[in-house]
Amino acid sequence: MENLFENISTKNREKLLRMLKAQSIPYRKGVNILSNVNRDNFIGIVDEGCLQIVFNDYNGNSVIIEEIDKNQIFGNLISSINSDECEVITKDKTRIIYIDYDNITSPEIIKTDFYIIFVKNLIKLMATQLNTKNERIEILTKRTTRDKLLEYFRILSQKKSSKTFTIPFTFIELANYLSVDRSAMTREIKYLKTEGFIKVDGKRVRLLY
């Protein structure tokens, strides 16, 4: 997984964060971090833990739009968080480093020898996360619950380079992520097991085809 500070020494990382006027804030599990953060013009780096970007529609339904893991980034320029219907929820005990986007282009930082490395890492990280968003779109374009599940399993298998992988969601979260009914999804997983497509042990899945 890409890291925003890859190939930057610990000493230079600390210097860079000071120059960026970064703030490091810890959160407990289950907190909507947007409740006390200005949504405009920032980049958040997940230094520890994990986040979920959740959209709540007018019927009270919640859909997981994106999951942000350690070393990944989010913000109004990267993620869909500007709407009042969106929340960013800590999935675990989490620490976020906040950077004002304008500070990234300050003359003081541009002059440093590690600035180019930082910008390259930022571009690579944004490209990787954009690819993840495109994968989600591919999943959601599938018409049936079965097809969505199989496409999601294919992506996880490809990322792990193995036919065996662990689903990073609870079943409720997975149904939200796939935008399907949880009961229908559970039935379809049972059918896939019975028909010999997959083997399931808790959240661990093995493709049999």
Side-chain angles (χ1 to χ4, degrees):
M1 179 183 293
E2 285 82 3
N3 187 323
L4 192 55
F5 304 105
E6 186 176 1
N7 297 322
I8 298 175
S9 68
T10 301
K11 180 180 178 180
N12 283 339
R13 169 187 158 130
E14 296 306 316
K15 182 179 179 181
L16 176 64
L17 290 175
R18 286 196 302 272
M19 295 171 74
L20 290 169
K21 300 178 182 177
Q23 289 184 300
S24 178
I25 301 179
Y27 297 93
R28 65 181 186 277
K29 179 180 177 180
V31 173
N32 175 21
I33 68 171
L34 292 184
S35 61
N36 60 359
V37 172
N38 185 342
R39 299 184 186 217
D40 297 330
N41 209 33
F42 80 89
I43 291 176
I45 307 163
V46 180
D47 197 35
E48 297 176 14
C50 181
L51 301 171
Q52 287 181 341
I53 299 178
V54 179
F55 178 80
N56 303 298
D57 67 19
Y58 56 88
N59 287 321
N61 300 313
S62 296
V63 177
I64 299 172
I65 297 176
E66 190 176 357
E67 185 157 297
I68 313 294
D69 294 317
K70 182 177 178 180
N71 293 327
Q72 292 187 318
I73 57 178
F74 68 102
N76 62 305
L77 298 175
I78 306 163
S79 313
S80 304
I81 61 172
N82 288 328
S83 169
D84 289 337
E85 287 76 26
C86 281
E87 297 179 327
V88 179
I89 308 296
T90 54
K91 190 175 179 182
D92 304 297
K93 184 179 178 182
T94 303
R95 178 176 293 275
I96 307 297
I97 297 173
Y98 293 101
I99 297 172
D100 188 312
Y101 186 76
D102 291 336
N103 291 340
I104 292 176
T105 55
S106 71
E108 181 186 13
I109 297 176
I110 292 175
K111 294 177 183 178
T112 63
D113 56 358
F114 46 77
Y115 175 76
I116 296 298
I117 299 174
F118 174 74
V119 171
K120 284 183 177 179
N121 289 342
L122 179 60
I123 293 172
K124 285 170 59 180
L125 197 50
M126 291 176 69
T128 298
Q129 291 184 218
L130 178 60
N131 184 59
T132 300
K133 292 175 189 287
N134 289 335
E135 289 173 348
R136 173 91 189 286
I137 292 172
E138 286 293 321
I139 293 168
L140 296 181
T141 58
K142 304 302 179 184
R143 292 182 177 273
T144 67
T145 299
R146 170 175 287 218
D147 287 344
K148 288 181 179 181
L149 279 167
L150 290 176
E151 180 65 11
Y152 179 63
F153 292 159
R154 182 192 69 79
I155 290 171
L156 288 183
S157 174
Q158 189 176 57
K159 286 183 175 181
K160 294 294 184 181
S161 299
S162 171
K163 286 185 175 291
T164 302
F165 50 84
T166 301
I167 298 172
F169 299 118
T170 66
F171 271 27
I172 293 175
E173 291 171 339
L174 179 58
N176 288 341
Y177 183 78
L178 300 178
S179 293
V180 297
D181 178 78
R182 182 168 64 91
S183 297
M185 185 194 74
T186 302
R187 285 196 302 271
E188 199 58 62
I189 290 175
K190 182 179 179 181
Y191 294 153
L192 289 171
K193 289 169 58 180
T194 301
E195 295 170 22
F197 282 91
I198 60 174
K199 182 178 180 180
V200 180
D201 181 13
K203 294 198 293 183
R204 191 169 178 82
V205 177
R206 178 170 178 79
L207 302 183
L208 301 176
Y209 59 94

